[in-house]
Amino acid sequence: MIDLFSKLSDTPIPNVLVISGIIFLLLAVAGKVGANLSIPPNRQKTAALIGSILLTGGIAMFVVPSSSTLNGDQQKSIVKEKINSNQHQKDTTSNEFSVQDQKNQNLQQYRSEDNIRQAIKYASTWEISAKRHLDISILEGYYVGEALKNQKFIIGEFKRQGLFPVCEVNNRKFHNVNFLEDKDLAYVDVTEVWNCAYYSIDSGNCANQYEQADTIRQTIILRLKESGWMISAVNFNPSNVESSMVPCKNIWPSNIKFK
């Protein structure tokens, strides 16, 4: 008897209702159970009514899930969504930290005065080449932003005047190199000594030259890119005095007077 109740307690309610309903309907139709137990006619109608109610209720519970089942499924779905959302946020945060860590590593790797000096040296070399050939594309790997825009304007002016410059940097002195904390910018105070002569695009002859080498004090702003430091802007010292231009006399640069 105990085993019977234990099994019934584990049986789903819809199953119990359907089985009970079928039993009551059989009693209503047969009118008796075995040879000794009979059901009066007036009780058969009651058994039929109870059986119909139990059977209908059990079938209904099979077709329409209970609210507790729905709530359980909804809760499982919500929990699953939260887990996926948390995992996504975790992955996203991890990726953000990875990118930031990589950026910080690159910043520390390139954050040295030697790298800055080399970047400015290379940029000046390619600036001379770009102006010599009047080709701004040569500077695209060394200049960005405002600095690249200004160089493009200068080269355009040379083309308009029908000239190309031949220059060299005779001296360069670094005064201060400052890195912005947690930024990919560097400010460099530097003095450069430039010699230049200007030639005709059509004839190739020297048109004019500096009377003497130009000493230029400037603040160069560099921005760290994936390929390294690139010149972003150049601010010239207002006290700079440009050398006057004179007609070419001898083969450049032997005729340049040095300060």
Side-chain angles (χ1 to χ4, degrees):
M1 182 65 68
I2 294 175
D3 292 340
L4 177 62
F5 280 111
S6 176
K7 292 181 179 179
L8 287 175
S9 64
D10 295 334
T11 304
I13 293 177
N15 293 352
V16 174
L17 293 178
V18 170
I19 293 172
S20 300
I22 293 173
I23 292 173
F24 274 95
L25 289 175
L26 289 175
L27 290 175
V29 173
K32 63 179 181 178
V33 178
N36 300 321
L37 180 62
S38 62
I39 300 175
N42 59 337
R43 298 290 180 87
Q44 291 180 6
K45 293 182 179 180
T46 303
L49 178 60
I50 294 173
S52 299
I53 294 174
L54 293 175
L55 182 61
T56 303
I59 294 174
M61 292 183 69
F62 272 118
V63 175
V64 181
S66 65
S67 60
S68 61
T69 303
L70 285 176
N71 292 336
D73 292 340
Q74 291 173 352
Q75 290 175 359
K76 290 180 181 178
S77 178
I78 292 172
V79 170
K80 185 177 181 180
E81 289 179 359
K82 286 184 178 180
I83 292 174
N84 292 336
S85 177
N86 292 337
Q87 184 63 38
H88 175 71
Q89 292 177 357
K90 183 178 179 181
D91 293 341
T92 302
T93 303
S94 177
N95 290 336
E96 289 176 355
F97 278 126
S98 298
V99 172
Q100 186 63 37
D101 289 343
Q102 184 63 42
K103 185 176 181 180
N104 291 337
Q105 290 177 3
N106 291 340
L107 192 60
Q108 293 301 326
Q109 178 184 355
Y110 287 102
R111 184 174 283 189
S112 71
E113 293 191 12
D114 288 339
N115 284 325
I116 290 295
R117 292 190 184 99
Q118 289 296 325
I120 292 177
K121 178 182 177 182
Y122 291 148
S124 296
T125 299
W126 290 110
E127 177 185 341
I128 291 171
S129 178
K131 290 178 178 178
R132 168 67 179 82
H133 299 284
L134 301 178
D135 184 1
I136 189 61
S137 65
I138 295 175
L139 290 180
E140 291 177 353
Y142 304 91
Y143 283 71
V144 293
E146 178 185 344
L148 183 62
K149 182 179 179 181
N150 289 340
Q151 291 295 334
K152 183 177 181 179
F153 173 79
I154 292 171
I155 290 177
E157 284 297 300
F158 283 138
K159 289 181 179 180
R160 187 180 64 82
Q161 297 174 15
L163 299 172
F164 66 89
V166 177
C167 303
E168 68 178 15
V169 180
N170 296 112
N171 192 16
R172 180 182 291 111
K173 181 179 181 181
F174 292 91
H175 305 287
N176 294 298
V177 178
N178 297 315
F179 298 95
L180 265 65
E181 291 296 331
D182 301 325
K183 297 290 183 180
D184 54 356
L185 291 175
Y187 288 76
V188 184
D189 186 15
V190 59
T191 297
E192 294 179 334
V193 180
W194 284 70
N195 291 328
C196 290
Y198 297 87
Y199 292 77
S200 169
I201 294 176
D202 295 332
S203 66
N205 296 326
C206 182
N208 48 47
Q209 64 188 48
Y210 284 173
E211 185 177 10
Q212 57 185 0
D214 253 354
T215 301
I216 304 172
R217 182 75 177 261
Q218 59 198 316
T219 299
I220 301 176
I221 303 172
L222 298 96
R223 183 176 295 277
L224 182 60
K225 299 292 186 180
E226 293 182 357
S227 58
W229 291 101
M230 301 178 69
I231 294 180
S232 175
V234 179
N235 298 325
F236 294 98
N237 192 318
S239 63
N240 289 331
V241 178
E242 292 186 3
S243 175
S244 58
M245 305 299 296
V246 296
C248 295
K249 298 178 181 178
N250 301 306
I251 298 176
W252 184 86
S254 62
N255 59 332
I256 296 292
K257 297 178 181 180
F258 295 90
K259 289 185 179 179

